[in-house]
């Protein structure tokens, strides 16, 4: 099955989703107060140990680990390079005082939607943007809130998944947040068409509900174009946010 992790106990190897949210808060107390004032159904609870600090959804009790670090001068450039933020949004990120790190379980559509909503709560509390450390997807506040409000599966996909590459290879990152394999296309005709192929295949893989098999042929009206090969994720080191424990679909040309 697509969502199965090969080897080991799945409970021990499920990926974690890690979000980075720059904000204007000057202290932990300001974050706690901002979330409370936002009145969006969450609160920050502080335990005796650092790992016990959590953003908690009041209705369900869902907990997401929260930590913070001082702001830096580089994160605004990462957001700006997406081309999706306007100058005022980039300027707000450049003026951030702190980066909040929000993390929680991944590996399913339900888990991804839950932490997406938690990230939206921090945006409502003043967060200047959201970056997904599992894929480097970077969103403005308005973009993240729009995707979080999309009840269809498309919002989840575009929030977490990025397709990138070189003239020799196009590949995706972030599908493990949703519980699926990423994909790669060696020797694309060009970056644009290669990205189009991967986005269409990945959309089918997680929206159709179909079981995809190793060695399965895929194509379009003109016939078979690729054969799917399941390969391990070796592009990123295991245990890092980018690593996909489910593996990768390689689209091999026929």
């Amino acid at each position: 099955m697509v969502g199965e992790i090969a080897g080991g106990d799945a409970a021990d190897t499920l990926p974690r989703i890690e979000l980075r949210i720059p904000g204007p808060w000057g202290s932990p107390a300001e974050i706690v107060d901002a979330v409370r004032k936002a009145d969006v159904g969450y609160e920050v609870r502080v335990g005796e140990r650092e790992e016990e600090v959590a953003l908690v959804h009041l209705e369900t009790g869902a907990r997401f680990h929260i930590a913070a670090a001082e702001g830096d001068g580089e994160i605004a450039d990462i957001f700006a390079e997406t081309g999706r933020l306007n100058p005022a949004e980039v300027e707000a990120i450049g003026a951030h005082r702190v980066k909040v790190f929000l993390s929680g379980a991944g590996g399913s559509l339900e888990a991804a939607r839950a932490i997406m909503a938690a990230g939206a709560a921090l945006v409502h509390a003043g967060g200047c943007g959201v970056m997904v450390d599992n894929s480097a997807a970077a969103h403005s506040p308005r973009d993240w809130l729009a995707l979080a409000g999309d009840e269809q599966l498309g919002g989840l996909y575009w929030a977490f998944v990025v397709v990138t590459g070189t003239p020799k290879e196009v590949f995706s990152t972030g599908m493990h947040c949703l519980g699926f394999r990423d994909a790669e296309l060696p020797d694309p005709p060009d970056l644009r068409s290669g990205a189009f192929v991967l986005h269409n295949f990945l959309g089918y893989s997680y929206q159709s509900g179909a079981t995809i098999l190793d060695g399965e042929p895929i194509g379009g009206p003109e016939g078979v174009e690729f054969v799917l090969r399941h390969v391990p994720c070796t592009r990123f080191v295991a245990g890092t946010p980018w690593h996909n424990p489910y593996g990768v679909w390689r689209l091999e040309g026929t």
Side-chain angles (χ1 to χ4, degrees):
M1 296 180 63
V2 173
E4 182 178 345
I5 299 178
D9 185 345
D12 295 330
T13 54
L14 283 174
R16 288 187 66 78
I17 297 175
E18 301 187 15
L19 307 182
R20 192 182 316 190
I21 302 172
W25 312 290
S27 67
E30 285 189 18
I31 299 175
V32 172
D33 191 50
V35 171
R36 180 182 58 80
K37 289 181 176 179
D39 193 23
V40 287
Y42 291 80
E43 70 177 15
V44 178
R45 295 180 183 172
V46 180
E48 295 182 359
R49 297 177 296 178
E50 182 179 348
E51 60 268 25
E52 294 176 340
V53 180
L55 180 68
V56 180
H57 186 238
L58 297 176
E59 182 177 344
T60 65
R63 299 172 66 89
F64 305 91
H65 181 253
I66 189 170
E70 292 184 1
D72 64 61
E74 300 177 359
I75 193 170
D77 292 336
I78 297 174
F79 279 86
E81 288 171 2
T82 68
R84 296 196 299 267
L85 281 74
N86 62 43
E89 291 167 336
V90 175
E91 183 178 355
I93 293 171
H96 76 284
R97 301 170 69 185
V98 66
K99 293 176 297 185
V100 171
F101 298 92
L102 185 70
S103 62
S108 72
L109 300 179
E110 294 78 10
R113 193 174 294 282
I115 196 169
M116 194 177 184
L122 288 178
V123 169
H124 284 297
C128 307
V130 179
M131 184 166 73
V132 180
D133 281 341
N134 307 83
S135 64
H139 304 276
S140 68
R142 57 185 169 82
D143 184 26
W144 187 262
L145 293 178
L147 293 172
D150 183 355
E151 296 183 358
Q152 305 301 314
L153 293 177
L156 283 173
Y157 179 84
W158 294 112
F160 292 102
V161 180
V162 170
V163 170
T164 187
T166 69
K168 294 185 177 181
E169 183 181 39
V170 178
F171 60 92
S172 71
T173 54
M175 284 292 287
H176 53 305
C177 295
L178 311 180
F180 294 87
R181 296 168 185 157
D182 276 292
E184 60 187 26
L185 175 62
D187 301 317
D190 57 74
L191 290 178
R192 182 181 293 273
S193 59
F196 178 81
V197 168
L198 284 196
H199 278 308
N200 276 276
F201 168 71
L202 293 170
Y204 168 78
S205 74
Y206 91 101
Q207 285 186 301
S208 69
T211 298
I212 302 175
L213 302 175
D214 189 29
E216 183 175 335
I218 62 170
E222 298 181 357
V224 174
E225 298 180 65
F226 306 101
V227 173
L228 297 173
R229 299 298 183 191
H230 178 213
V231 298
C233 178
T234 57
R235 193 182 309 277
F236 306 109
V237 177
T240 61
W242 291 62
H243 181 262
N244 190 326
Y246 305 106
V248 177
W249 287 117
R250 178 178 294 154
L251 280 64
E252 297 183 348
T254 58

